[in-house]
Amino acid sequence: MNRSYARIAHIFSELKGMVLSMAKEKFYITTPIYYPSDKLHIGHSYCTVAADTIARYKRAQGYDVMFLTGTDEHGQKIQRIAEEKGVTPQQYVDGIVSGIRELWKMMDISNDRFIRTTDEMHVKAVQKIFTKLYEQGDIYKSEYEGWYCTPCESFWTEVQLKDGKCPDCGRPVEKMKEGSYFFRLSKYQDKLIDLIRNNPDFLQPSIRQNEMLNNFLIPGLDDLCVSRTSFDWGIPVPFDPKHVVYVWLDALTNYITALGAFSDDDEAFKKYWPADVHLVGKEIVRFHSIIWPAILMALDLPLPKQVYGHGWLLLDGGKMSKSKGNVVDPVRLIEKYGVDAVRYFLMREMPFGADGTFNNEALINRINSDLANDLGNLVSRTVSMADKYFGGTVCDRGVTEEVDSELKALAESTPHTVEKLMDEFQFSNALAEIWKLIGRTNKYIDETMPWALAKDEAKKPRLETVLYNLCEAIRIAAELIAPVMTRTTPKILEQIGAESRGWHSSKTWGAQKSFTVKKGEVLFPRIDVEAELAALEAETGKNAPQEIPKPEPKEEITIDDFARTELRVAKVIACEKIKKAKKLLKLQLDLGYEKRQVVSGIAQYYEPDELIGKKVVVVANLKSVKLCGEESFGMILCASDENGNLKIVNPDGEIAIGSEVR
């Protein structure tokens, strides 16, 4: 009888496990599929590392994740490059795609699928989609005449051009006139407006919503040219083979064709669609938040839950571009500093939704301060002390003090804070929270002074508790950084003698009862900044700080003159553009002791949403003035680069608002 009960219990347990497995929540994330190029730069890696970070984070939480990336291989641009190189387009893309796959492997990108738009399955599915849209009247034949940017594969109207050039890349456009098929994009204009207005989570960050509404949807949509006859490197229109499918209809549908949509095996499509998020660069938000949803509406398919348009990773104030010769090679950075240092920098240095600036000095400083000093030194000191004082094995002896509870409380709250930020794609802030725990753990060493406790035999139980607490805090931090720093987490866990228990174990203090440490290699060796920058300058001639010409001296002032200026730290709590004033932003500032309005001429350098939450330095005792009818009570301090671009002066560290700048 007991055996029967045991057998029933065992079967019930297995069934419960199966039910839980079947109920596992799905998560589908995509990056854009990239044009095959001789040189993928660090900006491309930025988006893909972000997607990989989210994919790893969701897997660690227990989600059934599908992470898609790939290559967009058709179009006039590809055909022209291949002709210049004296090879076929297929030969050209075949030679490049292997390099892209190798780069993603080098960067520890954990994509589940990699699609090529030359894949036979994709080609057949696109032809079925085109035919379906044509047969139901959403595609019709007419003639196109207008402006076309070959590098961007984008059509533009006369009004949309900027100084007669492509508004996205600034390069010349060509006048095109040819017979084409058109998709009735205008038919879905009202639905698209409703989608963006009534579903604020669909398009993020929120600044992208206004861009799409004001620049494209409200002014009115033209029908979209979806076939070309002036070249033949593309997917042939099945019922009119002189035409090839316009690259953006071809490329966008990869998100469903990669899952088997419109094929004989569409189980993955049924399982994972709709996508939870498309991560894309802000320059292609228009295609993903207007054209792609309209195509799905026409196909009567569910829309993706979210499109997230991240900013650009800039170099010297401009977008990285092979044609400009200002690209940064991620392979070279990985070879010099390691993949985790590069991944950490990309996710830590700049808010994901806004533009960020890359330079080698910032990367090296991050490695030295955050990785070598804070994290690496913490692990090294802890392992050395556990080995020295207890032969390597420590456990909690229960001899506690108030300082222990402070460390424990922060360690227990940090995972929950990090989860909230990760769910909002606030990678930089999530890592900052983890580093608060790392910093607090370093401070805990200074507060408890293990070296002093070791001198008194009676305090050995207290010393062992301290070292256990250090190991446990490090274990939790190591689990939390795992989605970003894929190779560092296993190294840390090995050195402190911890089992890899996964993301959920980070929420439980004491999940590991004892640690047997093992000394290992230095995680992040310190770098000589000046020597490294000099070496980089010799290598590329571009990476070292440029010599700044001496400015013309201004009239000298006394310390008393300077003392009359009141500089305060303030936080931007609201920001908006001023109508009929292209250069002005109206900011609401919190100085702690009061709130005030300041008008600043930085509209061409910042979007309003980028500034909200930032700390600035304001001249607090400047006489008020009225600018375009708006009262301004102060002035925000900015610095300008060699091109005259303004950047706000951002206070470093945890400086309280209202603090005086001296």
Side-chain angles (χ1 to χ4, degrees), residues 388-609:
K388 179 179 179 180
Y389 300 135
F390 293 97
T393 300
V394 296
C395 62
D396 185 2
R397 296 298 179 186
V399 185
T400 62
E401 294 182 3
E402 181 61 30
V403 70
D404 299 1
S405 61
E406 293 175 14
L407 177 64
K408 179 181 176 181
L410 182 61
E412 289 180 330
S413 65
T414 297
H416 301 283
T417 305
V418 169
E419 282 188 342
K420 182 178 183 299
L421 294 168
M422 290 287 282
D423 287 337
E424 297 170 352
F425 307 138
Q426 295 187 43
F427 309 110
S428 179
N429 290 337
L431 287 167
E433 290 298 321
I434 299 169
W435 251 254
K436 284 181 183 178
L437 173 60
I438 291 169
R440 183 67 187 84
T441 309
N442 274 310
K443 184 180 177 183
Y444 178 79
I445 294 177
D446 298 333
E447 292 169 330
T448 56
M449 297 188 293
W451 53 88
L453 293 172
K455 294 177 181 178
D456 187 344
E457 190 65 30
K459 294 182 178 179
K460 278 293 185 75
R462 170 60 184 158
L463 173 61
E464 191 171 355
T465 295
V466 166
L467 292 174
Y468 169 83
N469 289 343
L470 288 171
C471 288
E472 184 66 353
I474 291 170
R475 180 191 68 79
I476 290 171
E479 296 286 9
L480 294 177
I481 65 172
V484 176
M485 304 178 71
T486 58
R487 302 184 186 182
T488 300
T489 293
K491 290 179 182 178
I492 292 175
L493 295 178
E494 182 180 8
Q495 289 195 27
I496 64 172
E499 296 177 24
S500 180
R501 299 173 180 272
W503 183 270
H504 290 291
S505 73
S506 68
K507 300 177 183 179
T508 304
W509 179 273
Q512 179 140 334
K513 302 305 178 185
S514 67
F515 297 88
T516 301
V517 304
K518 177 184 177 183
K519 287 186 178 181
E521 63 182 12
V522 175
L523 294 175
F524 296 97
R526 279 190 59 81
I527 300 169
D528 184 323
V529 180
E530 291 186 9
E532 187 70 10
L533 290 175
L536 287 167
E537 181 182 20
E539 185 178 307
T540 67
K542 297 178 181 179
N543 293 296
Q546 300 298 308
E547 211 173 293
I548 299 172
K550 186 177 180 180
E552 287 293 322
K554 294 185 178 180
E555 181 184 350
E556 290 184 346
I557 64 172
T558 67
I559 190 66
D560 292 332
D561 293 329
F562 179 75
R564 293 173 57 199
T565 304
E566 183 185 355
L567 303 176
R568 297 278 178 183
V569 175
K571 183 177 181 180
V572 181
I573 56 176
C575 183
E576 60 182 294
K577 291 183 178 180
I578 296 176
K579 292 180 180 178
K580 299 181 182 179
K582 293 183 178 179
K583 295 183 178 180
L584 299 180
L585 291 180
K586 182 170 66 174
L587 303 98
Q588 305 302 325
L589 304 180
D590 184 359
L591 281 84
Y593 55 86
E594 69 177 31
K595 294 178 175 61
R596 65 168 67 180
Q597 177 174 293
V598 170
V599 176
S600 180
I602 56 175
Q604 65 192 96
Y605 310 107
Y606 291 96
E607 292 291 343
D609 284 5

Side-chain angles (χ1 to χ4, degrees), residues 175-460:
K175 191 78 170 180
M176 307 293 282
K177 183 176 181 179
E178 60 186 19
S180 300
Y181 286 91
F182 286 78
F183 172 64
R184 297 187 190 277
L185 187 61
S186 59
K187 172 182 173 181
Y188 298 95
Q189 178 175 312
D190 291 342
K191 287 184 178 181
L192 291 165
I193 291 173
D194 288 343
L195 169 67
I196 293 176
R197 281 181 171 168
N198 299 328
N199 299 275
D201 290 338
F202 171 73
L203 181 55
Q204 287 291 320
S206 57
I207 186 175
R208 311 289 176 228
Q209 299 167 18
N210 293 330
E211 290 172 357
M212 294 304 107
L213 287 168
N214 297 332
N215 296 342
F216 298 102
L217 288 168
I218 293 174
L221 292 176
D222 294 325
D223 288 348
L224 179 70
C225 176
V226 290
S227 77
R228 303 290 305 278
T229 57
S230 55
F231 62 94
D232 59 9
W233 180 239
I235 298 174
V237 172
F239 49 84
D240 196 346
K242 291 181 180 179
H243 290 254
V244 295
V245 178
Y246 170 51
V247 68
W248 275 107
L249 189 148
D250 168 7
L252 287 165
T253 53
N254 91 90
Y255 302 124
I256 58 175
T257 64
L259 302 178
F262 294 90
S263 77
D264 294 334
D265 181 8
D266 62 355
E267 287 304 310
F269 173 69
K270 293 175 181 176
K271 181 178 181 181
Y272 291 106
W273 190 259
D276 289 271
V277 61
H278 294 314
L279 288 189
V280 300
K282 65 180 183 180
E283 74 278 12
I284 54 174
V285 164
R286 174 170 68 101
F287 301 99
H288 287 79
S289 64
I290 295 177
I291 296 175
W292 178 225
I295 292 170
L296 290 168
M297 289 174 182
L299 294 171
D300 196 25
L301 292 175
L303 304 186
K305 296 176 186 176
Q306 187 173 84
V307 174
Y308 195 99
H310 64 79
W312 288 335
L313 189 59
L314 306 174
L315 182 68
D316 296 330
K319 187 185 176 187
M320 291 187 202
S321 165
K322 184 185 173 186
S323 64
K324 295 179 181 178
N326 69 346
V327 299
V328 175
D329 183 1
V331 174
R332 189 72 186 103
L333 293 178
I334 293 168
E335 289 172 347
K336 289 180 74 68
Y337 309 120
V339 64
D340 275 12
V342 175
R343 287 175 62 107
Y344 174 77
F345 178 81
L346 291 175
M347 295 298 95
R348 178 67 179 89
E349 186 68 11
M350 63 285 295
F352 187 60
D355 289 348
T357 301
F358 177 91
N359 67 73
N360 284 300
E361 187 171 4
L363 170 61
I364 295 167
N365 285 333
R366 278 284 180 197
I367 293 171
N368 280 346
S369 64
D370 294 11
L371 303 183
N373 285 2
D374 294 344
L375 177 59
N377 195 38
L378 172 62
V379 174
S380 177
R381 293 169 75 189
T382 300
V383 169
S384 294
M385 288 188 292
D387 185 61
K388 179 179 179 180
Y389 300 135
F390 293 97
T393 300
V394 296
C395 62
D396 185 2
R397 296 298 179 186
V399 185
T400 62
E401 294 182 3
E402 181 61 30
V403 70
D404 299 1
S405 61
E406 293 175 14
L407 177 64
K408 179 181 176 181
L410 182 61
E412 289 180 330
S413 65
T414 297
H416 301 283
T417 305
V418 169
E419 282 188 342
K420 182 178 183 299
L421 294 168
M422 290 287 282
D423 287 337
E424 297 170 352
F425 307 138
Q426 295 187 43
F427 309 110
S428 179
N429 290 337
L431 287 167
E433 290 298 321
I434 299 169
W435 251 254
K436 284 181 183 178
L437 173 60
I438 291 169
R440 183 67 187 84
T441 309
N442 274 310
K443 184 180 177 183
Y444 178 79
I445 294 177
D446 298 333
E447 292 169 330
T448 56
M449 297 188 293
W451 53 88
L453 293 172
K455 294 177 181 178
D456 187 344
E457 190 65 30
K459 294 182 178 179
K460 278 293 185 75

Side-chain angles (χ1 to χ4, degrees), residues 90-107:
Q90 189 67 58
Q91 288 171 329
Y92 170 70
V93 294
D94 285 347
I96 299 296
V97 169
S98 60
I100 296 174
R101 287 180 179 270
E102 282 301 311
L103 175 59
W104 294 158
K105 184 177 178 181
M106 180 179 284
M107 296 204 72

Side-chain angles (χ1 to χ4, degrees), residues 1-12:
M1 198 67 151
N2 288 338
R3 288 182 182 177
S4 298
Y5 281 129
R7 178 63 180 159
I8 291 169
H10 176 71
I11 293 171
F12 179 77

Side-chain angles (χ1 to χ4, degrees), residues 90-153:
Q90 189 67 58
Q91 288 171 329
Y92 170 70
V93 294
D94 285 347
I96 299 296
V97 169
S98 60
I100 296 174
R101 287 180 179 270
E102 282 301 311
L103 175 59
W104 294 158
K105 184 177 178 181
M106 180 179 284
M107 296 204 72
D108 277 352
I109 304 303
S110 62
N111 54 291
D112 299 286
R113 296 197 180 185
F114 187 101
I115 186 171
R116 300 180 59 180
T117 55
T118 53
D119 290 341
E120 184 180 358
M121 181 180 74
H122 174 77
V123 170
K124 289 182 177 179
V126 169
Q127 290 179 322
K128 288 180 181 179
I129 289 169
F130 197 99
T131 301
K132 175 179 171 60
L133 294 175
Y134 176 74
E135 289 176 348
Q136 68 189 36
D138 276 296
I139 285 179
Y140 62 93
K141 195 171 186 178
S142 185
E143 185 174 76
Y144 174 78
E145 183 175 6
W147 298 100
Y148 188 71
C149 175
T150 298
C152 294
E153 300 284 8

